[in-house]
Amino acid sequence: MTSIEERLKGLESENQIRALTNSFADICISGNAERFGALWIADGTWTLAKPLDMEIRGRESITALFLELAAGKRFFCQRLHSGIITILGDRATARWIISEEAANHDGSSYQSTAIYDDRLVLDDGKWLFEARHCKFIDISHTGNHA
């Protein structure tokens, strides 16, 4: 049986990981690149599977991609539907089902459903993304309505 301190530490870690992931979703709509970069370890990896088919390494490159993706959008909203977190000491994995909705400056828009598989590390008392892998399940596009 685990001690109360160990159980409390596990609950705190899970709460911090959920807050980290919620921050990712919140930043998607606010567009704050500085906050976005702060979610990752220095040599983190962000993978966006097909149809984007991208793998970006390093906090600076991840932040640059975030800015590039946001530049063409009037808004981008990400919603978390569930999350399963497994914590093993100062490392963790998580799996999230998400939906996204975006409107582009050209009047087109899309909705998607995806799964994020994450690896996280506890870095100086703070949980950060080591790797995020996004697999799209469905993407529905609409035409230009401008």
Side-chain angles (χ1 to χ4, degrees):
M1 182 174 220
T2 58
S3 70
I4 290 174
E5 289 86 10
E6 290 169 325
R7 292 192 331 239
L8 181 58
K9 184 178 178 182
L11 289 171
E12 287 176 332
S13 288
E14 182 173 334
N15 188 54
Q16 290 172 6
I17 290 168
R18 289 186 188 280
L20 176 72
T21 307
N22 287 334
S23 291
F24 184 99
D26 179 66
I27 293 165
C28 285
I29 201 160
S30 73
N32 187 316
E34 184 177 325
R35 281 185 56 215
F36 190 81
L39 303 177
W40 303 82
I41 64 170
D43 60 346
T45 304
W46 188 18
T47 304
L48 301 167
K50 292 179 182 179
L52 296 176
D53 206 20
M54 299 176 170
E55 183 173 285
I56 306 302
R57 294 184 188 275
R59 181 184 296 132
E60 290 180 12
S61 296
I62 289 169
T63 302
L65 176 61
F66 171 76
L67 288 170
E68 180 183 328
L69 292 172
K73 295 185 179 41
R74 202 166 39 81
F75 79 87
F76 179 87
C77 180
Q78 185 181 84
R79 295 176 198 89
L80 300 168
H81 297 290
S82 66
I84 298 170
I85 300 167
T86 304
I87 301 166
L88 298 167
D90 63 354
R91 302 188 70 71
T93 59
R95 182 175 178 89
W96 308 93
I97 297 171
I98 63 165
S99 61
E100 301 171 331
E101 184 175 347
N104 299 313
H105 292 295
D106 67 3
S108 65
S109 62
Y110 70 89
Q111 295 179 331
S112 67
T113 302
I115 296 172
Y116 259 104
D117 284 303
D118 297 337
R119 289 192 325 262
L120 306 108
V121 294
L122 189 60
D123 183 31
D124 198 25
K126 184 176 178 181
W127 286 97
L128 298 173
F129 294 117
E130 176 181 41
R132 297 204 88 193
H133 182 275
C134 179
K135 177 184 176 189
F136 294 96
I137 297 169
D138 182 67
I139 299 177
S140 301
H141 294 271
T142 62
N144 185 326
H145 300 291

